[in-house]
Amino acid sequence: MHLTLYADSQFTSPYVLASYVALLEKELRFELRTVNLEEREQLRAPYRELALTARVPCLKHADFYLTESSAIIEYIEEMFPAPQYRGLFPADVQQRGRARQVQAWLRSDLGVLREERSTHTVFYEPTDKPLSPAAQAAADKLIAAAERLVHGDHLFGSWCIADTELAVMLSRLVKNGDPVPEKLKDYVEFQWQRPSLQAWLKNIK
């Protein structure tokens, strides 16, 4: 299939993580290559000429290159559809729409929380620095939405990619010891036991 996923060399990008999990859940074979963002490798040739937005992740499929994780996940879902391959989204149209809503929201909102609780603190070095008022407000917003969405191990009865993305976002709070309701802590812990996420953790040095 000639699939290659370009990742950040520290493996802290939640967007690379989501794309990586999508490929594993589809049981697709792919090559993993890294891009050193600290050295701004993404802005230099040859990567800059291949990746339209000069960001990671980037998926190479034969001679086709695609960036932006939401586009990559949609592409993987359509190129390798269910039932031959495991579905990344719920089968029900409304639940599928809700899953995409969750994905879009986590990418476009809560910026101050992403800044103060970066994924570096999730995978490498937790912080004991208190959240600023603005970040706490974002955390409260995240928790309120998650409490409405989470009713068991999965958002929609069985796993979908939105479960992974929501669990990673909540991990920004859980891993740093910020107050999180027990049912959400349990949800996060359950999601991290998934083989595709355990495989991701093996990349962390």
Side-chain angles (χ1 to χ4, degrees):
M1 296 181 186
H2 306 293
L3 289 165
T4 302
L5 182 68
Y6 291 84
D8 58 303
S9 56
Q10 288 193 321
F11 293 96
T12 57
S13 168
Y15 312 115
V16 174
L17 184 157
S19 303
Y20 178 93
V21 165
L23 288 165
L24 287 186
E25 293 289 342
K26 290 285 188 183
E27 299 184 350
L28 298 170
R29 296 179 61 184
F30 63 97
E31 180 182 358
L32 186 64
R33 295 187 182 179
T34 58
V35 180
N36 192 321
L37 303 186
E38 290 186 345
E39 296 183 1
R40 303 175 71 80
E41 185 181 353
Q42 74 276 20
L43 301 179
R44 303 195 304 268
Y47 189 79
R48 183 65 184 88
E49 282 69 40
L50 302 176
L52 180 66
T53 58
R55 304 204 297 180
V56 293
C58 178
L59 180 71
K60 177 182 183 291
H61 184 199
D63 59 354
F64 175 69
Y65 290 82
L66 187 67
T67 56
E68 304 307 308
S69 61
S70 55
I72 289 170
I73 291 167
E74 294 279 356
Y75 177 81
I76 293 169
E77 178 77 334
E78 294 182 14
M79 185 61 67
F80 307 99
Q84 182 178 358
Y85 301 90
R86 176 179 291 141
L88 301 177
F89 295 94
D92 178 80
V93 173
Q94 291 186 343
Q95 289 184 343
R96 192 158 65 246
R98 181 73 78 180
R100 287 171 172 148
Q101 177 186 19
V102 170
Q103 290 181 286
W105 176 55
L106 295 178
R107 285 165 171 74
S108 62
D109 199 359
L110 312 174
V112 65
L113 179 60
R114 293 198 302 270
E115 180 178 342
E116 294 188 22
R117 294 292 186 264
S118 72
T119 45
H120 184 86
T121 70
V122 173
F123 296 118
Y124 290 100
E125 188 176 358
T127 180
D128 57 4
K129 184 178 179 181
L131 290 169
S132 68
Q136 186 60 61
D140 293 343
K141 184 177 182 181
L142 171 62
I143 290 170
E147 286 200 288
R148 291 179 61 186
L149 288 165
V150 173
H151 300 286
D153 293 335
H154 302 295
L155 295 176
F156 307 107
S158 59
W159 178 88
C160 75
I161 193 65
D163 282 301
T164 295
E165 297 197 22
L166 180 60
V168 171
M169 180 61 83
L170 287 167
S171 293
R172 297 172 188 265
L173 300 175
V174 173
K175 297 293 185 181
N176 287 290
D178 296 299
V180 175
E182 285 301 319
K183 82 165 186 176
L184 298 184
K185 287 183 180 179
D186 291 344
Y187 169 78
V188 168
E189 176 63 24
F190 183 84
Q191 293 302 322
W192 277 109
Q193 298 312 308
R194 195 164 184 86
S196 55
L197 275 170
Q198 287 294 302
W200 172 264
L201 292 177
K202 291 179 182 178
N203 295 308
I204 305 296
K205 301 296 190 289

